[in-house]
Amino acid sequence: MTEKIGILAIGHGSRLPYNKEVVSEIAATIAKKHPEYVIKAGFMENTIPTVVEALADFEGTGITKIVAVPVFLASGVHITEDIPEILKLDPETNEGKITVDGNEVPVTFGKPLGHHELLADLVFERATEVM
């Protein structure tokens, strides 16, 4: 059986629409560059689809595994408590299972963006834009 991976980009969410647009555009860019994956975006607060709704959107896609990745710079309560609870992750392994299309599908959870040279370059680029 060939593995078909779904990637769930998880954003914080906001009452302002720009937050959703940014995370949704990141998910769309990943989908465009990597069409062999099924990409969804979900949000923790004030924005739809919620993470739970985004997980439900994997129904009918044939995915056999979900990799959830927070589109957050750093760890906080959502990363350490809320998202692991929603994804039903085992605290020891950081892995879980959810039901998709009547099948148990493994779920893994990535780390927040954190420090990365590409992010530092982007911050510098944004600074030079306004110099």
Side-chain angles (χ1 to χ4, degrees):
M1 180 172 135
T2 303
E3 193 166 54
K4 185 170 183 183
I5 298 175
I7 297 176
L8 176 60
I10 302 175
H12 186 275
S14 171
R15 290 184 300 260
L16 303 174
Y18 182 67
N19 179 279
K20 179 178 182 177
E21 292 167 12
V22 169
V23 175
S24 296
E25 287 173 11
I26 288 169
T29 300
I30 295 168
K32 183 177 178 181
K33 289 182 173 188
H34 305 281
E36 67 276 19
Y37 296 93
V38 178
I39 313 299
K40 303 290 180 184
F43 301 87
M44 291 303 298
E45 296 181 16
N46 302 309
T47 307
I48 55 173
T50 65
V51 172
V52 171
E53 292 166 338
L55 287 168
D57 285 344
F58 283 112
E59 291 283 334
T61 64
I63 56 106
T64 58
K65 180 177 184 175
I66 296 173
V67 176
V69 181
V71 185
F72 288 57
L73 283 177
S75 212
V77 173
H78 285 321
I79 304 294
T80 61
E81 296 177 21
D82 301 336
I83 296 170
E85 183 178 320
I86 292 168
L87 299 178
K88 301 175 183 156
L89 300 179
D90 179 319
E92 302 270 330
T93 64
N94 212 29
E95 297 176 354
K97 291 185 186 273
I98 65 164
T99 302
V100 178
D101 294 326
N103 300 310
E104 273 201 340
V105 173
V107 178
T108 57
F109 186 41
K111 295 178 183 175
L113 300 175
H115 170 266
H116 192 283
E117 188 174 335
L118 291 173
L119 284 173
D121 291 344
L122 181 58
V123 169
F124 183 75
E125 181 181 318
R126 294 292 185 244
T128 61
E129 291 171 354
V130 295
M131 282 185 195

